[in-house]
Structures are given as structure tokens and as C-alpha cells.
Amino acid sequence: MQLIGRTASPFVRRVAATLNLYGMPSENLPYATNTHAAEIARYNPLGRIPALVTDAGEVIVDSAVILDWLDHQVGPGRSLTPLAGPERLAVTRLLALAVGAAERLVQAFY
């Protein structure tokens, strides 16, 4: 797998940390949106990071979608987010708040 984006981004970092926790080998292509726009656009037409290129060559964009895909790959016994039910809703609500806060920080920084 290839993880597209620099780990300076909290969104890339959360995917990298999850890959590491799950023991899934990956290569990092440390592209930054301000200096590697053309390279990033090859993976994500919106020009945003992270993007994950799977071993099958599929490209998944957006950290939440990538993490959901990774959770399904490792299955319910190892996934960080419950795959269904009220527990999943509770976790995804908290996650939405955390991601929203991170997005605000990134906007304030730039």
C-alpha cells in the first residue's frame, strides 16, 4: 500500500498510525498540498491528502473513509471502530468532533 501525504498533516498521521497499529506495511509518499499539487491530483482529483493506494491499486481518499476500509480489512476482532450498532455510532460521533476540531486547527494555521 502507499499512503499519499506528509505526516505533518493530522489526517495523514491518523492513517499512518492506524496502519502501524494494524501492522500493515505501507510506503509513504510525503507529498504536501502546497508543493506537490500535480502529484496529489493523480491520486485525488480534489487535491487533498491523505489518499491510500491499496495493494489492488484502488485509491481511497479521505481519512475517515480510509480508516473505515482499514477497519474492515482487519475485521471486528481488531478494528478500532466497532463495525455496527450503537457502539459504532458513539465512536463515530466522537470522531466527527475530533476531526472537526483538527480541521479548524488546520484552517487557522493556513
Side-chain angles (χ1 to χ4, degrees):
M1 283 188 275
Q2 291 180 311
L3 177 58
I4 313 305
R6 291 186 331 166
T7 55
S9 160
F11 308 105
V12 174
R13 206 167 37 249
R14 68 192 280 237
V15 173
T18 302
L19 286 165
N20 185 51
L21 180 73
Y22 287 161
M24 296 176 152
S26 65
E27 172 190 9
N28 180 240
L29 300 177
Y31 296 153
T33 55
N34 60 341
T35 56
H36 299 94
E39 291 91 339
I40 292 169
R42 290 193 332 233
Y43 301 99
N44 183 348
L46 298 175
R48 297 180 60 185
I49 54 172
L52 182 74
V53 182
T54 69
D55 291 336
E58 295 179 281
V59 179
I60 305 169
V61 299
D62 191 270
S63 60
V65 177
I66 295 168
L67 293 180
D68 187 62
W69 183 84
L70 292 174
D71 279 346
H72 281 85
Q73 297 307 299
V74 298
R78 293 189 55 216
S79 66
L80 291 173
T81 303
L83 299 181
E87 296 86 5
R88 179 177 176 78
L89 181 58
V91 169
T92 55
R93 281 181 182 161
L94 288 173
L95 184 59
L97 292 173
V99 170
E103 287 175 346
R104 292 287 179 133
L105 285 171
V106 168
Q107 290 171 354
F109 182 75
Y110 291 103

XYZ file of all heavy atoms in Angstrom:
831
model
N 0.843 -1.182 0.000
C 0.000 0.000 0.000
C 0.884 1.239 0.000
O 2.017 1.192 0.486
C -0.888 -0.002 1.235
C -2.061 -0.949 1.135
S -3.210 -0.782 2.498
C -2.445 -1.840 3.691
N 0.326 2.314 -0.500
C 1.009 3.596 -0.483
C 0.110 4.619 0.189
O -1.062 4.754 -0.178
C 1.334 4.080 -1.891
C 2.391 3.276 -2.597
C 2.630 3.831 -3.979
O 1.700 4.079 -4.744
N 3.892 4.036 -4.317
N 0.674 5.334 1.146
C -0.031 6.418 1.809
C 0.489 7.722 1.231
O 1.688 8.014 1.303
C 0.199 6.367 3.317
C -0.420 7.495 4.138
C -1.934 7.558 3.937
C -0.070 7.329 5.603
N -0.414 8.483 0.646
C -0.054 9.734 -0.007
C -0.280 10.878 0.975
O -1.385 11.065 1.478
C -0.919 9.975 -1.264
C -1.006 8.735 -2.156
C -0.433 11.205 -2.020
C 0.304 8.155 -2.595
N 0.779 11.637 1.249
C 0.680 12.815 2.106
C 1.738 12.816 3.194
O 2.226 11.769 3.615
N 2.075 14.025 3.615
C 3.068 14.181 4.691
C 2.412 13.959 6.045
O 1.282 14.372 6.285
C 3.671 15.587 4.676
C 4.539 15.842 3.492
C 5.238 17.164 3.560
N 4.496 18.179 4.305
C 5.003 19.311 4.732
N 6.260 19.592 4.484
N 4.281 20.173 5.388
N 3.163 13.357 6.952
C 2.630 13.113 8.293
C 2.566 14.386 9.132
O 2.120 14.335 10.271
C 3.434 12.024 9.026
O 4.812 12.382 9.035
C 3.245 10.665 8.369
N 2.952 15.514 8.567
C 2.714 16.787 9.248
C 1.210 17.060 9.316
O 0.743 17.775 10.194
C 3.426 17.926 8.522
N 0.465 16.458 8.410
C -0.997 16.591 8.407
C -1.588 15.653 9.461
O -1.275 14.463 9.482
C -1.552 16.201 7.035
O -2.932 15.886 7.126
N -2.477 16.163 10.318
C -3.092 15.270 11.312
C -3.940 14.186 10.661
O -4.100 13.102 11.216
C -3.958 16.211 12.157
C -4.173 17.426 11.328
C -2.976 17.538 10.431
N -4.443 14.428 9.476
C -5.276 13.458 8.781
C -4.424 12.325 8.215
O -4.804 11.157 8.289
C -6.091 14.151 7.695
C -6.836 15.342 8.247
C -6.407 16.630 7.987
C -7.931 15.162 9.070
C -7.071 17.723 8.515
C -8.605 16.247 9.616
C -8.169 17.531 9.348
N -3.268 12.664 7.675
C -2.331 11.642 7.206
C -1.781 10.873 8.405
O -1.667 9.644 8.376
C -1.185 12.273 6.384
C -0.135 11.220 6.013
C -1.729 12.958 5.144
N -1.473 11.596 9.458
C -0.888 10.974 10.655
C -1.823 9.941 11.265
O -1.394 8.870 11.680
C -0.527 12.069 11.665
C 0.565 11.706 12.590
C 1.137 12.878 13.383
N 0.194 13.885 13.824
C 0.141 15.142 13.355
N 0.982 15.535 12.434
N -0.734 16.003 13.827
N -3.122 10.212 11.296
C -4.040 9.246 11.891
C -4.125 7.978 11.051
O -4.261 6.880 11.574
C -5.403 9.865 12.167
C -6.219 10.227 10.961
C -7.419 11.094 11.310
N -8.523 10.328 11.819
C -9.736 10.325 11.290
N -9.999 11.066 10.229
N -10.681 9.604 11.804
N -4.009 8.102 9.730
C -3.985 6.912 8.875
C -2.672 6.166 9.065
O -2.661 4.933 9.208
C -4.202 7.290 7.392
C -4.000 6.073 6.490
C -5.590 7.884 7.185
N -1.553 6.889 9.100
C -0.249 6.247 9.295
C -0.202 5.506 10.627
O 0.305 4.378 10.703
C 0.868 7.288 9.215
N -0.732 6.126 11.672
C -0.738 5.479 12.989
C -1.589 4.213 12.982
O -1.215 3.199 13.582
C -1.245 6.454 14.047
N -2.708 4.251 12.287
C -3.580 3.079 12.212
C -2.916 1.963 11.417
O -2.963 0.792 11.816
C -4.943 3.457 11.604
O -5.522 4.492 12.406
C -5.880 2.269 11.564
N -2.293 2.308 10.294
C -1.548 1.301 9.527
C -0.484 0.647 10.395
O -0.322 -0.579 10.382
C -0.901 1.943 8.296
C -1.823 2.294 7.140
C -1.124 3.244 6.172
C -2.283 1.033 6.423
N 0.217 1.460 11.157
C 1.265 0.950 12.040
C 0.670 0.034 13.118
O 1.180 -1.058 13.373
C 2.029 2.111 12.677
C 3.191 1.649 13.496
O 4.017 0.868 13.038
N 3.264 2.117 14.732
N -0.405 0.484 13.749
C -1.048 -0.311 14.790
C -1.520 -1.653 14.251
O -1.378 -2.686 14.915
C -2.228 0.463 15.378
C -2.995 -0.266 16.478
C -2.168 -0.290 17.760
C -4.331 0.383 16.715
N -2.067 -1.655 13.054
C -2.557 -2.888 12.449
C -1.437 -3.741 11.860
O -1.684 -4.850 11.412
C -3.575 -2.579 11.362
C -4.920 -2.099 11.862
C -5.774 -1.420 11.015
C -5.348 -2.327 13.162
C -7.018 -0.995 11.444
C -6.582 -1.892 13.608
C -7.417 -1.230 12.744
O -8.648 -0.803 13.161
N -0.222 -3.204 11.838
C 0.899 -3.962 11.279
C 0.803 -4.136 9.777
O 1.296 -5.123 9.231
N 0.188 -3.182 9.118
C 0.036 -3.242 7.662
C 1.178 -2.474 7.009
O 1.299 -1.265 7.207
C -1.300 -2.639 7.234
C -2.501 -3.370 7.732
S -4.019 -2.493 7.249
C -5.148 -3.850 7.161
N 2.012 -3.153 6.258
C 3.136 -2.452 5.624
C 2.639 -1.467 4.574
O 1.685 -1.744 3.848
C 3.954 -3.575 4.985
C 3.034 -4.739 4.883
C 1.977 -4.575 5.930
N 3.288 -0.325 4.535
C 2.936 0.689 3.543
C 4.150 1.561 3.269
O 5.059 1.664 4.082
C 1.764 1.557 4.027
O 2.149 2.301 5.159
N 4.109 2.165 2.111
C 5.127 3.132 1.713
C 4.487 4.511 1.807
O 3.339 4.691 1.407
C 5.559 2.856 0.274
C 6.469 3.898 -0.316
C 6.681 3.700 -1.811
O 5.997 2.866 -2.436
O 7.525 4.427 -2.354
N 5.213 5.470 2.346
C 4.691 6.828 2.438
C 5.285 7.676 1.327
O 6.491 7.705 1.141
C 5.015 7.438 3.809
C 4.486 8.852 3.941
O 5.229 9.787 4.151
N 3.191 9.018 3.824
N 4.393 8.334 0.574
C 4.819 9.329 -0.407
C 4.504 10.677 0.215
O 3.349 11.108 0.221
C 4.080 9.143 -1.734
C 4.282 7.788 -2.417
C 3.456 7.702 -3.683
C 5.747 7.559 -2.730
N 5.523 11.343 0.789
C 5.289 12.541 1.604
C 5.014 13.798 0.786
O 5.752 14.779 0.839
C 6.580 12.657 2.417
C 7.629 12.062 1.538
C 6.933 10.967 0.768
N 3.924 13.782 0.049
C 3.546 14.928 -0.765
C 2.800 15.954 0.081
O 1.957 15.610 0.898
C 2.656 14.507 -1.925
C 3.313 13.594 -2.937
C 2.549 12.712 -3.687
C 4.685 13.623 -3.165
C 3.130 11.880 -4.633
C 5.278 12.789 -4.104
C 4.492 11.922 -4.829
O 5.074 11.102 -5.771
N 3.117 17.211 -0.149
C 2.450 18.326 0.528
C 1.549 19.031 -0.479
O 1.910 19.187 -1.648
C 3.478 19.300 1.091
N 0.403 19.477 -0.014
C -0.558 20.101 -0.924
C -0.026 21.390 -1.552
O -0.396 21.716 -2.677
C -1.888 20.389 -0.204
O -1.635 21.181 0.961
C -2.585 19.100 0.192
N 0.829 22.084 -0.858
C 1.317 23.361 -1.392
C 2.496 23.210 -2.352
O 2.808 24.147 -3.082
C 1.677 24.329 -0.264
C 2.755 23.787 0.647
O 3.014 22.583 0.683
N 3.381 24.664 1.407
N 3.149 22.054 -2.375
C 4.315 21.874 -3.254
C 4.191 20.691 -4.205
O 5.015 20.553 -5.107
C 5.607 21.700 -2.428
O 5.438 20.600 -1.534
C 5.942 22.972 -1.653
N 3.217 19.845 -4.017
C 3.074 18.638 -4.839
C 1.646 18.487 -5.372
O 1.121 17.369 -5.450
C 3.446 17.395 -4.031
C 4.850 17.368 -3.547
N 5.204 17.827 -2.298
C 5.989 16.963 -4.151
C 6.505 17.685 -2.150
N 7.009 17.174 -3.249
N 1.028 19.575 -5.739
C -0.378 19.539 -6.158
C -0.611 18.598 -7.337
O -1.588 17.845 -7.347
C -0.864 20.948 -6.493
N 0.263 18.628 -8.328
C 0.085 17.776 -9.508
C 0.195 16.300 -9.146
O -0.590 15.478 -9.632
C 1.112 18.137 -10.578
N 1.151 15.965 -8.295
C 1.321 14.572 -7.880
C 0.104 14.087 -7.092
O -0.388 12.977 -7.296
C 2.589 14.401 -7.036
C 3.875 14.588 -7.806
C 4.375 16.033 -7.788
O 3.581 16.962 -7.535
O 5.570 16.227 -8.034
N -0.382 14.921 -6.190
C -1.543 14.553 -5.370
C -2.775 14.388 -6.241
O -3.563 13.454 -6.051
C -1.769 15.591 -4.255
C -0.619 15.527 -3.246
C -3.103 15.357 -3.559
C -0.594 16.673 -2.259
N -2.942 15.253 -7.232
C -4.110 15.193 -8.115
C -4.173 13.887 -8.898
O -5.261 13.461 -9.306
C -4.119 16.385 -9.059
N -3.035 13.225 -9.096
C -3.049 11.915 -9.767
C -3.796 10.887 -8.920
O -4.338 9.925 -9.445
C -1.626 11.435 -10.016
C -0.897 12.222 -11.065
C 0.384 11.560 -11.533
N 1.032 10.714 -10.552
C 2.300 10.803 -10.180
N 3.065 11.738 -10.700
N 2.804 9.986 -9.299
N -3.793 11.091 -7.602
C -4.458 10.155 -6.697
C -5.826 10.661 -6.246
O -6.731 9.875 -6.010
C -3.587 9.904 -5.463
C -2.240 9.344 -5.814
C -1.118 10.164 -5.890
C -2.091 7.998 -6.100
C 0.121 9.650 -6.229
C -0.850 7.480 -6.445
C 0.245 8.310 -6.505
O 1.472 7.800 -6.850
N -5.944 11.964 -6.071
C -7.195 12.557 -5.604
C -7.460 13.814 -6.422
O -6.749 14.817 -6.264
C -7.099 12.904 -4.114
C -8.389 13.460 -3.553
O -9.304 13.811 -4.292
N -8.457 13.575 -2.252
N -8.482 13.797 -7.263
C -8.741 14.966 -8.108
C -9.093 16.220 -7.320
O -8.997 17.326 -7.849
C -9.913 14.521 -8.997
C -10.480 13.319 -8.343
C -9.408 12.704 -7.507
N -9.449 16.070 -6.042
C -9.715 17.239 -5.204
C -8.428 17.868 -4.700
O -8.448 18.962 -4.129
C -10.590 16.849 -4.007
C -11.981 16.315 -4.351
C -12.681 15.849 -3.089
C -12.786 17.377 -5.075
N -7.294 17.176 -4.874
C -6.002 17.712 -4.454
C -5.790 17.681 -2.965
O -5.003 18.457 -2.430
N -6.495 16.786 -2.277
C -6.395 16.710 -0.812
C -5.676 15.440 -0.390
O -5.677 14.434 -1.107
C -7.796 16.730 -0.201
C -8.534 18.030 -0.488
C -9.897 18.059 0.116
N -9.802 17.920 1.567
C -10.836 17.810 2.370
N -12.058 17.797 1.872
N -10.673 17.712 3.664
N -5.084 15.503 0.789
C -4.453 14.342 1.394
C -5.192 14.021 2.684
O -5.827 14.913 3.259
C -2.947 14.585 1.668
C -2.752 15.847 2.506
C -2.163 14.634 0.369
C -1.342 16.072 2.981
N -5.141 12.775 3.114
C -4.435 11.621 2.574
C -5.220 10.907 1.478
O -6.419 11.083 1.319
C -4.303 10.705 3.787
C -5.544 10.955 4.571
C -5.813 12.437 4.387
N -4.478 10.098 0.757
C -5.041 9.107 -0.154
C -4.280 7.818 0.131
O -3.108 7.855 0.515
C -4.865 9.533 -1.599
N -4.949 6.716 -0.030
C -4.315 5.414 0.173
C -4.494 4.606 -1.093
O -5.615 4.452 -1.587
C -4.948 4.680 1.359
C -4.328 3.322 1.689
C -2.969 3.515 2.360
C -5.251 2.497 2.573
N -3.382 4.112 -1.624
C -3.419 3.211 -2.767
C -3.312 1.802 -2.208
O -2.312 1.456 -1.562
C -2.269 3.493 -3.760
C -2.364 2.567 -4.956
C -2.268 4.956 -4.197
N -4.352 1.001 -2.423
C -4.354 -0.361 -1.883
C -3.440 -1.253 -2.711
O -3.006 -0.882 -3.810
C -5.779 -0.957 -1.891
O -6.181 -1.196 -3.246
C -6.775 -0.027 -1.200
N -3.188 -2.439 -2.186
C -2.373 -3.406 -2.922
C -3.027 -3.799 -4.241
O -2.348 -4.213 -5.177
C -2.109 -4.641 -2.062
C -1.179 -4.339 -0.889
O -0.404 -3.361 -0.975
O -1.235 -5.071 0.111
N -4.344 -3.667 -4.326
C -5.070 -3.972 -5.560
C -5.059 -2.789 -6.532
O -5.616 -2.878 -7.620
C -6.510 -4.366 -5.241
N -4.455 -1.663 -6.125
C -4.361 -0.496 -6.988
C -5.530 0.467 -6.879
O -5.577 1.458 -7.598
N -6.473 0.187 -5.986
C -7.585 1.110 -5.781
C -7.105 2.291 -4.948
O -6.258 2.131 -4.068
C -8.729 0.426 -5.049
C -9.382 -0.692 -5.828
C -10.490 -1.341 -5.038
O -10.183 -2.156 -4.163
O -11.651 -1.007 -5.310
N -7.665 3.464 -5.202
C -7.317 4.655 -4.439
C -8.506 5.028 -3.558
O -9.627 5.151 -4.044
C -6.938 5.836 -5.358
C -6.612 7.075 -4.531
C -5.767 5.462 -6.258
N -8.222 5.186 -2.260
C -9.245 5.584 -1.303
C -8.836 6.953 -0.778
O -7.675 7.153 -0.390
C -9.338 4.572 -0.142
C -9.562 3.163 -0.688
C -10.447 4.967 0.825
C -9.398 2.078 0.354
N -9.765 7.890 -0.747
C -9.470 9.239 -0.279
C -10.298 9.560 0.955
O -11.337 8.946 1.190
C -9.693 10.299 -1.379
C -8.782 10.033 -2.575
C -11.137 10.343 -1.825
N -9.821 10.503 1.737
C -10.426 10.984 2.973
C -10.080 10.039 4.115
O -10.336 8.840 4.049
C -11.941 11.147 2.848
C -12.498 11.887 4.051
O -12.854 11.218 5.044
O -12.538 13.120 4.024
N -9.514 10.609 5.165
C -9.024 9.788 6.270
C -10.117 8.935 6.902
O -9.881 7.777 7.244
C -8.330 10.651 7.327
O -9.214 11.619 7.852
N -11.331 9.457 7.032
C -12.411 8.671 7.642
C -12.757 7.453 6.792
O -12.967 6.352 7.322
C -13.643 9.542 7.862
N -12.784 7.635 5.486
C -13.105 6.529 4.584
C -11.962 5.510 4.585
O -12.195 4.297 4.604
C -13.397 7.048 3.160
C -13.668 5.906 2.196
C -14.564 8.022 3.189
N -10.739 6.009 4.595
C -9.580 5.112 4.640
C -9.603 4.282 5.922
O -9.412 3.061 5.896
C -8.260 5.903 4.532
C -8.147 6.577 3.157
C -7.062 4.995 4.790
C -7.039 7.605 3.060
N -9.841 4.935 7.054
C -9.862 4.208 8.328
C -10.989 3.190 8.368
O -10.820 2.087 8.906
C -9.967 5.177 9.494
C -8.749 6.073 9.710
C -8.981 6.998 10.894
C -7.487 5.263 9.897
N -12.131 3.528 7.810
C -13.240 2.582 7.750
C -12.839 1.361 6.932
O -13.095 0.222 7.329
C -14.477 3.266 7.157
C -15.705 2.399 7.228
O -16.127 2.063 8.355
O -16.254 2.046 6.162
N -12.183 1.577 5.806
C -11.725 0.482 4.963
C -10.702 -0.383 5.708
O -10.792 -1.606 5.683
C -11.134 1.032 3.652
C -10.711 -0.042 2.692
C -11.510 -0.702 1.809
C -9.395 -0.570 2.539
N -10.758 -1.618 1.117
C -9.458 -1.563 1.547
C -8.167 -0.317 3.151
C -8.349 -2.297 1.122
C -7.063 -1.040 2.745
C -7.150 -2.015 1.749
N -9.760 0.266 6.393
C -8.760 -0.486 7.157
C -9.414 -1.315 8.254
O -9.042 -2.478 8.471
C -7.714 0.467 7.761
C -6.785 1.170 6.775
C -5.920 2.191 7.496
C -5.932 0.168 6.020
N -10.391 -0.739 8.953
C -11.111 -1.482 9.995
C -11.758 -2.734 9.425
O -11.711 -3.805 10.043
C -12.181 -0.609 10.654
C -11.639 0.330 11.708
O -10.481 0.162 12.152
O -12.382 1.245 12.109
N -12.348 -2.618 8.251
C -12.977 -3.791 7.640
C -11.945 -4.824 7.196
O -12.231 -6.016 7.197
C -13.875 -3.367 6.473
C -15.196 -2.849 6.925
N -15.389 -1.536 7.302
C -16.382 -3.468 7.097
C -16.638 -1.377 7.677
N -17.269 -2.519 7.567
N -10.760 -4.367 6.843
C -9.711 -5.308 6.441
C -9.253 -6.179 7.608
O -8.989 -7.356 7.433
C -8.512 -4.559 5.839
C -8.804 -3.799 4.571
C -9.449 -4.667 3.518
O -8.882 -5.651 3.069
N -10.661 -4.312 3.128
N -9.151 -5.578 8.799
C -8.670 -6.361 9.948
C -9.792 -7.105 10.651
O -9.539 -8.034 11.410
C -7.896 -5.491 10.968
C -6.662 -4.890 10.319
C -8.768 -4.431 11.594
N -11.036 -6.709 10.422
C -12.176 -7.418 10.985
C -12.565 -6.945 12.367
O -11.861 -6.167 13.015
N -13.722 -7.441 12.844
C -14.291 -6.948 14.096
C -13.447 -7.234 15.333
O -13.539 -6.507 16.309
C -15.646 -7.650 14.172
C -15.538 -8.822 13.272
C -14.546 -8.455 12.212
N -12.625 -8.236 15.298
C -11.802 -8.551 16.464
C -10.663 -7.572 16.702
O -10.167 -7.450 17.817
N -10.253 -6.858 15.657
C -9.104 -5.950 15.776
C -9.424 -4.507 15.435
O -8.611 -3.619 15.680
C -7.970 -6.422 14.861
C -7.372 -7.739 15.280
C -6.114 -8.078 14.502
N -5.117 -7.017 14.591
C -4.306 -6.676 13.603
N -4.370 -7.291 12.447
N -3.425 -5.719 13.759
N -10.560 -4.237 14.833
C -10.846 -2.887 14.352
C -10.946 -1.893 15.502
O -11.405 -2.223 16.591
C -12.134 -2.862 13.524
O -13.249 -3.156 14.328
N -10.494 -0.676 15.238
C -10.550 0.383 16.243
C -11.967 0.895 16.433
O -12.337 1.319 17.520
C -9.639 1.544 15.838
C -8.149 1.253 15.875
C -7.368 2.433 15.292
C -7.705 0.961 17.291
N -12.747 0.876 15.367
C -14.128 1.342 15.419
C -15.036 0.130 15.294
O -14.854 -0.685 14.382
C -14.403 2.312 14.257
O -13.470 3.394 14.321
C -15.810 2.872 14.322
N -16.013 0.009 16.182
C -16.968 -1.096 16.032
C -17.597 -1.047 14.637
O -17.849 0.034 14.095
C -18.009 -0.823 17.117
C -17.277 0.011 18.132
C -16.311 0.843 17.350
N -17.839 -2.206 14.058
C -18.327 -2.256 12.691
C -19.820 -1.992 12.569
O -20.311 -1.711 11.477
C -17.971 -3.600 12.052
C -16.464 -3.893 11.959
C -16.219 -5.235 11.295
C -15.730 -2.796 11.226
N -20.566 -2.055 13.681
C -22.011 -1.832 13.615
C -22.554 -1.533 15.008
O -21.845 -1.665 16.007
C -22.701 -3.065 13.029
N -23.818 -1.123 15.040
C -24.543 -0.973 16.290
C -24.335 0.353 16.985
O -23.676 1.265 16.472
N -24.912 0.473 18.193
C -24.833 1.730 18.940
C -23.407 2.110 19.321
O -23.084 3.290 19.417
C -25.679 1.479 20.187
C -26.198 0.105 20.106
C -25.715 -0.531 18.851
N -22.554 1.110 19.500
C -21.149 1.404 19.831
C -20.480 2.143 18.673
O -19.709 3.066 18.881
C -20.380 0.121 20.155
C -20.881 -0.607 21.375
C -22.044 -1.565 21.072
O -22.404 -1.745 19.880
O -22.599 -2.110 22.046
N -20.788 1.732 17.450
C -20.207 2.414 16.282
C -20.682 3.859 16.215
O -19.898 4.766 15.957
C -20.577 1.679 14.997
C -20.012 2.370 13.756
C -20.317 1.585 12.493
N -19.850 2.289 11.328
C -18.591 2.344 10.897
N -17.662 1.694 11.550
N -18.261 3.022 9.825
N -21.958 4.080 16.460
C -22.490 5.437 16.434
C -21.815 6.309 17.483
O -21.436 7.458 17.204
C -24.002 5.426 16.645
C -24.684 6.797 16.612
C -24.437 7.503 15.290
C -26.169 6.634 16.882
N -21.608 5.778 18.673
C -20.947 6.549 19.736
C -19.525 6.923 19.338
O -19.099 8.076 19.516
C -20.951 5.756 21.040
N -18.789 5.978 18.780
C -17.408 6.247 18.366
C -17.379 7.238 17.211
O -16.580 8.183 17.216
C -16.682 4.934 17.995
C -15.349 5.212 17.321
C -16.479 4.072 19.231
N -18.254 7.069 16.227
C -18.216 7.965 15.068
C -18.658 9.379 15.430
O -18.180 10.344 14.829
C -19.051 7.414 13.893
O -20.387 7.165 14.321
C -18.433 6.138 13.342
N -19.526 9.532 16.409
C -19.888 10.880 16.885
C -18.674 11.584 17.483
O -18.405 12.750 17.182
C -20.986 10.799 17.944
C -22.347 10.598 17.404
C -23.351 10.555 18.534
N -24.673 10.303 18.023
C -25.672 9.866 18.753
N -25.502 9.623 20.036
N -26.842 9.662 18.211
N -17.960 10.884 18.338
C -16.748 11.470 18.933
C -15.701 11.759 17.868
O -15.027 12.794 17.908
C -16.183 10.536 20.003
C -16.967 10.441 21.293
C -16.384 9.351 22.198
C -16.982 11.775 22.016
N -15.582 10.859 16.929
C -14.615 11.032 15.851
C -14.953 12.263 15.014
O -14.059 13.024 14.632
C -14.584 9.783 14.974
C -13.567 9.757 13.858
C -12.154 9.917 14.408
C -13.694 8.465 13.083
N -16.221 12.473 14.735
C -16.629 13.656 13.964
C -16.225 14.938 14.678
O -15.758 15.896 14.043
C -18.137 13.625 13.712
N -16.384 14.974 15.987
C -15.967 16.159 16.754
C -14.458 16.346 16.711
O -13.957 17.461 16.534
C -16.454 16.047 18.198
C -17.964 16.141 18.396
C -18.328 15.833 19.844
C -18.473 17.505 17.981
N -13.721 15.261 16.874
C -12.257 15.341 16.854
C -11.743 15.787 15.488
O -10.851 16.641 15.398
C -11.652 13.993 17.246
N -12.306 15.228 14.423
C -11.879 15.606 13.079
C -12.256 17.055 12.793
O -11.474 17.807 12.212
C -12.466 14.647 12.023
C -12.243 15.165 10.608
C -11.853 13.259 12.177
N -13.436 17.459 13.224
C -13.844 18.854 13.053
C -12.906 19.813 13.748
O -12.537 20.861 13.198
N -12.479 19.451 14.946
C -11.524 20.292 15.675
C -10.186 20.344 14.946
O -9.568 21.414 14.830
C -11.342 19.770 17.095
N -9.733 19.208 14.428
C -8.471 19.190 13.684
C -8.570 20.032 12.419
O -7.634 20.753 12.068
C -8.079 17.750 13.342
N -9.718 19.963 11.730
C -9.897 20.779 10.529
C -9.832 22.269 10.855
O -9.241 23.049 10.122
C -11.232 20.445 9.856
C -11.226 19.112 9.156
C -12.579 18.726 8.596
O -13.601 19.362 8.960
O -12.622 17.781 7.806
N -10.438 22.662 11.968
C -10.377 24.069 12.387
C -8.937 24.492 12.657
O -8.545 25.609 12.308
C -11.230 24.301 13.643
C -12.695 24.173 13.439
C -13.194 25.383 12.660
N -14.612 25.259 12.421
C -15.454 26.225 12.625
N -15.064 27.395 13.067
N -16.733 26.035 12.356
N -8.172 23.633 13.291
C -6.763 23.954 13.575
C -5.979 24.116 12.283
O -5.157 25.028 12.154
C -6.141 22.875 14.448
C -6.552 22.898 15.911
C -6.036 21.649 16.632
C -6.041 24.140 16.602
N -6.216 23.226 11.333
C -5.511 23.323 10.054
C -5.896 24.611 9.346
O -5.037 25.326 8.823
C -5.817 22.079 9.167
C -5.341 22.299 7.745
C -5.184 20.835 9.765
N -7.183 24.961 9.344
C -7.626 26.207 8.714
C -7.005 27.416 9.390
O -6.601 28.369 8.717
C -9.148 26.302 8.754
C -9.841 25.317 7.837
C -11.336 25.283 8.070
O -11.865 25.902 8.977
N -12.034 24.524 7.242
N -6.916 27.400 10.707
C -6.339 28.525 11.439
C -4.847 28.652 11.140
O -4.322 29.764 11.045
C -6.559 28.344 12.938
N -4.179 27.522 10.964
C -2.736 27.535 10.697
C -2.449 28.110 9.315
O -1.515 28.853 9.137
C -2.161 26.128 10.834
C -0.677 26.068 10.622
C 0.199 26.513 11.594
C -0.175 25.572 9.440
C 1.569 26.447 11.391
C 1.199 25.507 9.226
C 2.074 25.949 10.217
N -3.258 27.741 8.344
C -3.028 28.198 6.981
C -3.823 29.440 6.689
O -3.672 30.140 5.802
C -3.346 27.086 5.975
C -2.356 25.958 6.035
C -2.675 24.758 6.659
C -1.098 26.092 5.492
C -1.765 23.718 6.735
C -0.160 25.060 5.569
C -0.513 23.875 6.171
O 0.383 22.866 6.243
